[in-house]
Amino acid sequence: MRLPLPVIILTLLLAACTTSPTGQQQLLLFSEQDMAKLGDESFEEIKAKEKLLPEGEVTAYVQCITRPLTDRVGGDWEVRVFQSEDVNAFALPGRHIGVYTGLLTVAQDPDALAAVIGHEIAHVLARHGNARVSTQMATQAGLEVLSAVSGMQSRPGGDDLLAALGLGAQVGILLPFSRQQESEADLLGLKLMADAGFDPEGALRLWRAMGAQQAGSQRPPELLSTHPASQSRLTTLAAALPEAQARQAAARAAGRRPSCALL
Ligand SMILES: [Zn+2]
């Protein structure tokens, strides 16, 4: 039996539609391995472009905060600190995390920094990069999606891919995550930081500080171009705070008490 092409495409798209950790439907056309490879390649490009901060007190501080988080999600993530005034951080499929030193001027305590990194890791865990590349392909390419899915011959590349993975302003293209993805990353990230033993109120401090920085500066934080510091974000986080505090108490009772300081 020969099925009409639109039926084949629709079937493929439906087969690729999955449910995210908080129960949202999302279209995922790429395998975990494909996304990891794309993440690996993107991270190499960024490392070649950005100035790496030499090993020292600041890199040790960032590692100290990142390790309890990545320990909760399989460990063994590559963490790099870039010397830059940009207020930004990101995580990529393939287990890569980039933190810009400018972020430390806004995320001024360990719990606030854990909130940013937890949020970025949550985007990866929820496969938001995959969903964004997939949706972009499905929307733009139409029939080409079919060949990409069936043969995996053509891969998205270049700036579109970097933007779709969430790097936003870093590569000169602004393409924010959707509100739904932001909200999901907030809630997952809050759980993750609390389970690692960090104070979840750090997330509220962080987004308030981001908002203040935006209001008082000619140059708003880069992170805000992809992660708006909206009132609805604060409301969602505040509502989830009691449960997160219970999680933190359980984590600390179990001996997970991260102690990181920048002297
Ligand atoms: Zn986000």
Side-chain angles (χ1 to χ4, degrees):
M1 183 178 70
R2 290 194 58 172
L3 291 167
L5 200 52
V7 173
I8 296 173
I9 294 172
L10 189 65
T11 308
L12 278 169
L13 292 180
L14 286 176
C17 201
T18 60
T19 308
S20 75
T22 63
Q24 312 291 339
Q25 290 291 310
Q26 55 185 5
L27 172 70
L28 301 177
L29 295 176
F30 298 91
S31 68
E32 290 290 290
Q33 292 84 345
D34 280 316
M35 290 309 295
K37 187 160 179 290
L38 296 172
D40 293 348
E41 287 166 5
S42 304
F43 204 60
E44 288 308 313
E45 278 178 38
I46 293 158
K47 282 196 286 189
K49 203 180 102 194
E50 300 291 344
K51 190 175 174 205
L52 210 61
L53 186 72
E55 293 283 324
E57 195 196 333
V58 174
T59 53
Y61 172 70
V62 172
Q63 297 272 4
C64 176
I65 289 164
T66 309
R67 201 171 302 113
L69 297 167
T70 54
D71 279 351
R72 306 294 306 159
V73 292
D76 202 25
W77 287 55
E78 178 184 13
V79 181
R80 292 283 180 262
V81 182
F82 301 115
Q83 194 159 15
S84 161
E85 286 179 6
D86 292 348
V87 177
N88 210 356
F90 62 86
L92 291 176
R95 299 186 170 190
H96 308 282
I97 292 169
V99 174
Y100 294 78
T101 49
L103 178 62
L104 302 181
T105 62
V106 177
Q108 290 184 352
D109 63 81
D111 302 298
L113 186 56
V116 186
I117 298 170
H119 175 100
E120 296 303 324
I121 291 173
H123 275 306
V124 174
L125 296 182
R127 303 197 279 176
H128 290 162
N130 191 339
R132 202 152 65 169
V133 183
S134 300
T135 306
Q136 211 174 28
M137 279 190 72
T139 310
Q140 289 177 356
L143 280 179
E144 285 172 22
V145 171
L146 186 64
S147 63
V149 173
S150 56
M152 291 310 279
Q153 297 302 318
S154 65
R155 290 175 182 281
D159 287 350
D160 281 353
L161 175 69
L162 289 170
L165 288 170
L167 299 179
Q170 283 307 308
V171 289
I173 287 181
L174 301 177
L175 186 59
F177 283 110
S178 72
R179 277 178 85 139
Q180 185 180 300
Q181 289 172 328
E182 280 306 310
S183 173
E184 184 166 60
D186 277 342
L187 294 174
L188 284 174
L190 196 69
K191 278 184 190 164
L192 178 59
M193 72 179 288
D195 286 344
F198 290 104
D199 173 11
E201 278 203 61
L204 289 161
R205 284 199 295 280
L206 166 81
W207 292 108
R208 284 198 197 103
M210 285 279 183
Q213 169 96 355
Q214 184 176 33
S217 164
Q218 300 252 319
R219 188 166 170 249
E222 281 72 17
L223 192 80
L224 294 183
S225 62
T226 47
H227 302 77
S230 63
Q231 186 56 45
S232 72
R233 187 191 291 276
L234 285 168
T235 308
T236 306
L237 286 169
L241 200 57
E243 191 206 320
Q245 283 166 332
R247 283 176 169 270
Q248 188 208 13
R252 293 183 81 84
R256 294 193 291 275
R257 302 154 188 254
S259 172
C260 311
L262 201 53
L263 297 175

